[in-house]
């Protein structure tokens, strides 16, 4: 099945202000976030992408703008299901203030039981994101073949929940995962199980690019088997 490239949006004004943005309108990239977005086309240069899917929120659309300018042929789709968690009454509040809320302990230690006042539960957040990925995987494979790659630009909690699903982790463990702004997480889906190829990568992505001839230990794309011993890595 297709390879999913998950990009967290670049650093936003809410990130630097220590605010939980949620779906608050008008949250844009800050200067550093814009620079991160500008560097994204170069980091992904050499990786064919069949499509790009984005959260509808401004900070994600701004993150993809340089990539779309560099690849005008790349089709862009918007999917609300990979939009930020609906934090409800917590949206727009300082994280420092939220740290004292009794619910924060549940969010950190038992997120599968957490439901934000006036918003959604973290279980619902994960379920909608996983559904979106499964549907896009099937669509991309049908339209572009099983070796295709596609990109989704989303948010920290969404990406962490998708990683937890790919690793077979309970949602209660997903807070152990960390993804930086404008980092790349890559998941290769197979008919039997997913493989996490990159997690929160902010550096060189060339090992993800197609190779003229697969190395002898490349078995994750053929039969869904892991490389015993860890493999030789990229040349």
């Amino acid at each position: 099945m297709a390879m999913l490239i998950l990009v967290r949006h670049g650093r936003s004004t809410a990130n630097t202000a220590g605010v939980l943005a949620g779906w608050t309108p008008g949250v844009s990239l800050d200067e550093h976030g814009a620079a991160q977005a500008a560097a994204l086309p170069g980091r992904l240069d050499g990786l064919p992408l069949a499509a790009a899917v984005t959260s509808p929120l401004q900070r994600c659309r701004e993150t993809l703008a340089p990539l779309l300018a560099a690849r005008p042929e790349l089709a862009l789709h918007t999917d609300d299901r990979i939009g930020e968690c609906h934090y409800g009454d917590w949206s727009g509040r300082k994280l420092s203030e939220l740290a004292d809320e009794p619910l924060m302990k549940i969010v950190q230690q038992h997120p599968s039981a957490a439901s934000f006042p006036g918003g959604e539960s973290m279980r619902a957040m994960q379920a909608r994101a996983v559904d979106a990925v499964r549907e896009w995987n099937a669509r991309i494979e049908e339209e572009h073949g099983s070796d295709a790659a596609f990109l989704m630009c989303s948010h920290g909690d969404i990406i962490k929940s998708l990683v937890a699903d790919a690793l077979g982790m309970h949602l209660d463990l997903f807070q152990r995962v960390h993804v930086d702004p404008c980092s790349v997480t890559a998941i290769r889906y197979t008919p039997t199980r997913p493989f996490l190829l990159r997690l929160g990568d902010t550096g060189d992505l060339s090992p993800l690019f197609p190779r003229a001839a697969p190395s002898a230990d490349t078995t994750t794309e053929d039969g869904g088997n892991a490389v015993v011993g860890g493999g030789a890595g990229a040349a």
Side-chain angles (χ1 to χ4, degrees):
M1 297 179 70
M3 179 168 64
L4 170 61
I5 305 297
L6 286 162
V7 176
R8 185 185 170 195
H9 62 79
R11 196 175 76 179
S12 72
T13 53
N15 294 145
T16 49
V19 169
L20 187 64
W23 284 69
T24 304
V27 176
S28 63
L29 300 183
D30 68 6
E31 185 177 352
H32 182 66
Q36 291 174 322
L40 188 62
R43 295 174 61 207
L44 294 172
D45 188 31
L47 178 62
L49 293 171
V53 186
T54 185
S55 156
L57 296 175
Q58 179 179 339
R59 53 197 183 274
C60 286
R61 291 186 284 106
E62 288 180 351
T63 298
L64 288 189
L67 179 64
L68 296 172
R71 301 194 191 193
E73 77 287 353
L74 185 61
L76 178 66
H77 309 270
T78 301
D79 195 324
D80 287 359
R81 295 174 297 177
I82 62 168
E84 181 63 284
C85 183
H86 291 277
Y87 296 116
D89 297 344
W90 279 26
S91 299
R93 293 182 60 187
K94 287 275 191 179
L95 290 167
S96 58
E97 298 173 0
L98 293 171
D100 296 327
E101 292 281 353
L103 179 60
M104 182 59 83
K105 184 175 181 179
I106 307 301
V107 170
Q108 291 296 325
Q109 299 181 21
H110 191 19
S112 66
S115 184
F116 295 100
E120 70 180 332
S121 69
M122 302 199 88
R123 287 183 293 107
M125 173 201 74
Q126 183 187 44
R128 62 175 166 86
V130 170
D131 284 347
V133 167
R134 302 297 186 196
E135 290 180 20
W136 278 103
N137 275 343
R139 175 174 173 178
I140 295 297
E141 181 173 8
E142 180 180 358
E143 295 179 0
H144 301 279
S146 60
D147 292 330
F150 71 106
L151 181 149
M152 282 186 165
C153 187
S154 188
H155 307 265
D157 279 349
I158 295 289
I159 294 172
K160 288 163 56 177
S161 73
L162 290 170
V163 168
D165 173 75
L167 292 177
M169 293 168 50
H170 196 283
L171 183 60
D172 285 344
L173 302 178
F174 100 122
Q175 296 290 24
R176 301 182 184 190
V177 178
H178 177 78
V179 289
D180 283 322
C182 219
S183 64
V184 170
T185 295
I187 303 172
R188 167 76 69 184
Y189 289 86
T190 78
T192 54
R193 54 185 167 169
F195 289 85
L196 182 63
L197 306 180
R198 284 290 185 279
L199 175 61
D201 196 320
T202 56
D204 179 21
L205 298 170
S206 61
L208 298 176
F209 300 170
R211 301 180 188 177
S215 62
D217 65 8
T218 304
T219 59
T220 58
E221 300 176 21
D222 183 12
N225 293 321
V227 180
V228 177

